[in-house]
Amino acid sequence: MKPLGNIRVVDAATLFAGPMAATYLGDFGADVIKIEHPRRGDPSRGHGHAKDGVGLWWKLLSRNKRVTAVDFSSPEGQEVALRMLAETDVLIENFRPGTLERWNLAPERLWEVNPRLVIARVTGFGQTGPMAGRPGFGTLAEAMSGFAAMTGEPDGPPTLPPLALADGIAALAVSYAVMVALQAREQTGRGQVVDLAIIEPILSVLGPQITAFHALGAVPQRTGNRSASNAPRNTYRTRDGRWLAISTSAQSIAERVVRLVGRPELADEPWFATGRTRAEHADELDAAVGGWIAERDAAAVIDAFEQAEAAIAPIYDVRDVVTDPQYRALDSIVHVPDAELGTVAMQNVLFRLTETPGEIKWAGPPKGAHTEEVLRALGYAPADVERLRTAGVVA
């Protein structure tokens, strides 16, 4: 028995926070039914790399999901939705506010057939407010949250991440919110709406910028790879051309680093006593640490830091990640059998549970792979399924 083996999730979301949240739930046993549009399919199938015409992002994003395609905007598709959601614990959707209502699938209508349904509504800007009706993506959240403004070199432009960062953070928040709502249902017997705006979770992980602005009028500035909270903290190049990252968030680590690089007197400076004041002397600290590292090969630097119990890590690209012994020890990467591509490698489940571990059973299936199975379980006869397929209601 998987820990979420008694939970059914309908994933009617796209790009990327909602589907990722459903993936995390499916990794620990939830029965996730992925809904695509019958004609267009899910847009993530066409994002990023493809092999033999098969989208690889889809393989990761829709792992462990049973895949079907239903047009919720059509009357017959709405009937399919109502039947499906009557036997579902969680609906995850990211249509613009008002869309479900326009399709006669408002929360109040869904609760008529299933009062225990948890409805996670994941949008760029939430269900209310002046921007609620606008299209929203993670990029806009990275811009509006303050992340881009504080990211990049001091003399460079605001910088966006080259990945779906805000969506990824929001996905974690959605899966957490769903579990909270399911626990609340155990107390009340009723489902509820989770209203999650993608602009908010990334705002919450950016630290005390709101608090500092309110108290001091402080506005975070771009500092490149440096930090305003501690130093030395940067990337440094070794004699053999490798890049290494160092963090000294703990005071004891900072002291070990300056002793290691032959500058123990720096630890006696009054300004060395806190991370914030050390950051004000980043030029001096970077010169000391960077100069020492530049005279040595990466392996020697890493070994010396390990001996000194100071924090350091090499800058990896994906080629390094897939061969790293620590990731291998954690089984962070798995190879999943796949009917279309043979085997697909991907990141493993997010965490390890000693008694009820998660599992990746299959990668994202072809469109409509489970339509017959899902609709037959809802009471549709084979002739009904074929009629709906012919009419374009399902695929």
Side-chain angles (χ1 to χ4, degrees):
M1 173 66 70
K2 296 296 183 183
L4 300 181
N6 62 334
I7 300 298
R8 174 168 290 173
V9 178
V10 169
D11 170 12
T14 59
L15 301 177
F16 284 98
M20 290 173 69
T23 300
Y24 298 146
L25 299 174
D27 285 347
F28 286 90
D31 175 19
V32 181
I33 301 175
K34 173 66 184 178
I35 307 296
E36 298 185 74
H37 191 279
R39 293 172 294 282
R40 295 191 295 270
D42 190 284
S44 66
R45 289 184 181 273
H47 272 62
H49 294 287
K51 180 180 180 182
D52 300 332
V54 178
L56 297 178
W57 204 334
W58 168 262
K59 291 296 179 183
L60 172 69
L61 193 62
S62 292
R63 69 193 193 191
N64 289 337
K65 299 179 183 181
R66 295 195 289 159
V67 173
T68 186
V70 183
D71 183 359
F72 281 1
S73 68
S74 68
E76 287 190 296
Q78 291 157 19
E79 177 59 32
V80 174
L82 288 172
R83 284 203 205 184
M84 188 181 298
L85 295 171
E87 302 178 6
T88 293
D89 298 282
V90 181
L91 167 64
I92 301 177
E93 61 95 0
N94 72 334
F95 303 110
R96 290 197 209 180
T99 301
L100 283 185
E101 288 77 1
R102 192 170 66 252
W103 292 343
N104 300 311
L105 295 173
E108 293 73 19
R109 177 72 179 99
L110 300 180
W111 286 327
E112 289 177 6
V113 300
N114 183 357
R116 293 172 57 82
L117 181 67
V118 171
I119 305 169
R121 312 192 76 172
V122 186
T123 58
F125 306 107
Q127 297 294 310
T128 58
M131 297 180 68
R134 297 187 187 181
F137 298 99
T139 297
L140 309 189
E142 290 144 12
M144 289 181 60
S145 62
F147 173 86
M150 67 173 67
T151 304
E153 295 298 325
D155 57 351
T159 302
L160 296 167
L163 70 161
L165 178 64
D167 283 289
I169 297 170
L172 294 169
V174 174
S175 57
Y176 166 53
V178 164
M179 297 308 297
V180 171
L182 289 173
Q183 176 62 23
R185 188 181 71 173
E186 294 303 304
Q187 301 167 2
T188 67
R190 301 187 305 275
Q192 59 183 301
V193 168
V194 172
D195 175 9
L196 188 135
I198 296 174
I199 60 173
E200 291 184 301
I202 189 171
L203 182 66
S204 72
V205 303
L206 290 181
Q209 64 165 349
I210 302 297
T211 307
F213 177 74
H214 182 266
L216 304 170
V219 177
Q221 303 298 307
R222 291 188 287 284
T223 58
N225 289 321
R226 288 178 172 177
S227 169
S229 300
N230 69 85
R233 191 267 198 178
N234 212 325
T235 59
Y236 307 90
R237 195 170 190 179
T238 64
R239 181 171 60 187
D240 54 349
R242 294 296 304 273
W243 286 94
L244 306 176
I246 292 173
S247 176
T248 57
S249 296
Q251 184 68 23
S252 60
I253 299 295
E255 293 170 2
R256 293 170 193 167
V257 168
V258 293
R259 287 198 298 268
L260 173 63
V261 302
R263 296 294 304 276
E265 75 281 1
L266 292 174
D268 297 326
E269 295 286 348
W271 52 262
F272 200 87
T274 70
R276 176 180 52 79
T277 51
R278 278 190 276 114
E280 294 171 358
H281 293 261
D283 286 344
E284 183 175 358
L285 290 168
D286 274 349
V289 175
W292 185 87
I293 288 176
E295 296 172 351
R296 293 162 174 82
D297 291 344
V301 174
I302 292 173
D303 182 66
F305 267 72
E306 289 179 351
Q307 294 297 320
E309 298 186 354
I312 192 168
I315 302 295
Y316 277 174
D317 64 24
V318 68
R319 295 168 295 186
D320 303 303
V321 170
V322 298
T323 58
D324 179 76
Q326 182 61 34
Y327 281 125
R328 285 186 172 179
L330 294 173
D331 289 327
S332 301
I333 299 168
V334 294
H335 293 80
V336 182
D338 181 73
E340 294 179 290
L341 298 177
T343 302
V344 179
M346 63 180 65
Q347 301 94 315
N348 206 344
V349 299
L350 278 172
F351 47 84
R352 286 156 295 281
L353 296 179
T354 58
E355 300 298 324
T356 55
E359 178 187 12
I360 302 173
K361 295 176 288 187
W362 62 80
K367 190 174 78 170
H370 300 95
T371 296
E372 191 87 19
E373 174 185 312
V374 170
L375 267 62
R376 289 289 298 277
L378 297 177
Y380 286 91
D384 296 326
V385 177
E386 187 56 35
R387 178 180 56 81
L388 292 172
R389 186 178 281 123
T390 301
V393 176
V394 304

